[in-house]
Amino acid sequence: MALLAQIMQSSFAKPRPTLRIIPVRTRAHMGGTRQLNLQSFILTPNELSIALTKNVPTKISTAPRVIPLCAAWFLPNDPQGRTGQRVFEQRRIPTARFFDLDAVKDHASPYPHMLPSAETFAKAMQDIGIRKDDEVVVYDTQELGIFSAPRVAWTLQVFGHPGVHLLNNFRLWVEQGYPTESGKFEPVVEEPSHYPTPALDAARVVAFSEMKEIASDHGKEGSEGVQVLDARSKGRWAGTDPEPRPGLPSGHIPGSISVPVSELLDPHTGALLPGEELRRLFESKGVDSERPIISSCGTGVTAAVVDAALGEAGFGQPEARRLYDGSWTEWAQRVSEADGLIRKKI
């Protein structure tokens, strides 16, 4: 009970780069100078298009900008050998920047995508030319639909960037005929940047020690407060399908609920489902909107899709939703079935 009370209290607390793009093909934006404030976290292609049209950046302007941020990322064992950088250069939203998930992380950690230090994060934002007052709209690949962009958006949020949004999604942007461009991406440093070193909002992040305490208490009297939602496939959660990383056992954290990320997305567009559909899905799985929620997955990437879906559904209080950063890759390397901390459901 003391742990639950602690969770409830803590949760509810150089040169500036500009970009020289060598376009291969593009469709021009319409003109316009009136600024537009973006209110929603989830944006449609039309909403982003209007925002870009009304916030055309100039070299002399210091006004806040609307910056599309490509978060393209593919699994290391992608059968087609695709990389985020490569698909970004093949097709992107005009004026977009690229956020490299494999570069902006804790390189000292043995786990794939742990949050970077505040200094690493600030340096990355400087390197891609984003200012603190920019409205950043993160988007995914046309190929995968919603996948890694929510993780990048979540990263910006936990480091306190005030204007963060998620495009739902780039596949629809392309299919609906909005402009794209392609070509090499060449950052050019011209003047000092002023992106400050931020503070991490630790209340939104769950570390291994706390996760282990929650899992160890599962089934004990008074331990019913925290819910863990697992974004991996049902087979991996159940322990019947292998993990994509060699040597890593499958299974699940005791008490966790299987919420495969594929169930949160439209099967044709790869976009997040409408909020009401997401709400019904969470309710059908027995998720209680009145209790704290921790999202988990394989490496902490698609757990953020679950978190974004909870937000779009208006499910639970934002301050009661957190993400287990190390997720299954950390968990399965630090506990065992013999401990009773890896469960399988045949």
Side-chain angles (χ1 to χ4, degrees):
M1 291 295 290
L3 173 62
L4 175 59
Q6 180 182 357
I7 290 171
M8 298 289 283
Q9 291 173 3
S10 66
S11 302
F12 305 12
K14 312 175 182 181
R16 174 170 68 86
T18 58
L19 303 177
R20 184 175 78 243
I21 307 272
I22 307 171
V24 173
R25 52 189 171 80
T26 180
R27 290 168 47 193
H29 287 292
M30 297 167 57
T33 57
R34 185 172 66 83
Q35 293 181 13
L36 180 72
N37 291 322
L38 299 173
Q39 300 298 326
S40 301
F41 174 62
I42 304 289
L43 299 180
T44 65
N46 184 57
E47 288 170 331
L48 175 57
S49 177
I50 292 172
L52 290 171
T53 295
K54 296 182 180 298
N55 290 265
V56 178
T58 66
K59 291 184 177 180
I60 62 173
S61 173
T62 58
R65 305 164 299 175
V66 176
I67 304 292
L69 183 61
C70 178
W73 180 75
F74 294 86
L75 290 169
N77 62 347
D78 181 69
Q80 299 178 40
R82 296 169 296 189
T83 68
Q85 179 74 48
R86 190 173 302 149
V87 299
F88 173 73
E89 293 178 351
Q90 289 171 349
R91 175 174 278 181
R92 60 178 172 268
I93 297 173
T95 74
R97 319 294 168 88
F98 178 68
F99 189 101
D100 189 346
L101 260 178
D102 286 327
V104 189
K105 64 179 183 180
D106 180 1
H107 288 275
S109 172
Y111 312 115
H113 293 116
M114 302 294 277
L115 282 168
S117 67
E119 292 77 14
T120 297
F121 174 80
K123 177 64 164 54
M125 297 296 271
Q126 292 167 8
D127 287 347
I128 56 180
I130 291 180
R131 302 195 293 250
K132 183 80 172 185
D133 60 356
D134 286 334
E135 295 283 341
V136 179
V137 182
V138 191
Y139 72 93
D140 261 301
T141 67
Q142 179 184 0
E143 293 83 353
L144 299 181
I146 294 291
F147 180 55
S148 51
R151 170 68 189 204
V152 172
W154 179 82
T155 299
L156 267 64
Q157 290 175 329
V158 298
F159 279 114
H161 193 89
V164 183
H165 311 273
L166 179 69
L167 177 64
N168 194 27
N169 60 9
F170 185 52
R171 184 182 299 174
L172 288 174
W173 175 277
V174 174
E175 290 179 355
Q176 293 171 12
Y178 291 103
T180 63
E181 67 183 9
S182 61
K184 291 294 183 182
F185 176 79
E186 300 179 12
V188 179
V189 174
E190 292 182 351
E191 59 184 89
S193 169
H194 301 289
Y195 201 97
T197 300
L200 172 70
D201 183 1
R204 298 188 61 176
V205 187
V206 178
F208 171 78
S209 57
E210 183 183 351
M211 194 71 250
K212 185 177 181 182
E213 186 174 355
I214 292 169
S216 298
D217 286 345
H218 173 66
K220 297 179 182 178
E221 184 178 356
S223 66
E224 299 83 9
V226 182
Q227 304 164 102
V228 180
L229 308 188
D230 191 326
R232 293 174 302 146
S233 69
K234 187 64 175 288
R236 290 166 64 190
W237 176 88
T240 56
D241 291 344
E243 289 294 312
R245 288 165 182 80
L248 201 66
S250 57
H252 60 269
I253 297 169
S256 64
I257 300 170
S258 175
V259 185
V261 69
S262 60
E263 296 183 11
L264 306 174
L265 308 178
D266 183 285
H268 304 293
T269 67
L272 275 176
L273 294 171
E276 189 53 42
E277 288 186 42
L278 291 168
R279 171 172 280 276
R280 288 196 297 268
L281 184 145
F282 289 124
E283 289 173 345
S284 73
K285 292 180 177 291
V287 183
D288 186 346
S289 64
E290 299 300 315
R291 291 160 52 192
I293 296 171
I294 296 172
S295 298
S296 181
C297 61
T299 66
V301 174
T302 56
V305 180
V306 174
D307 188 71
L310 288 164
E312 181 68 359
F315 205 88
Q317 297 300 314
E319 61 270 22
R321 299 198 308 264
R322 299 188 294 158
L323 191 148
Y324 174 27
D325 198 22
S327 283
W328 188 254
T329 300
E330 178 184 41
W331 186 259
Q333 292 183 63
R334 299 186 68 176
V335 302
S336 69
E337 261 189 276
D339 300 330
L341 294 177
I342 292 180
R343 301 284 176 86
K344 298 180 185 290
K345 186 174 182 179
I346 308 302

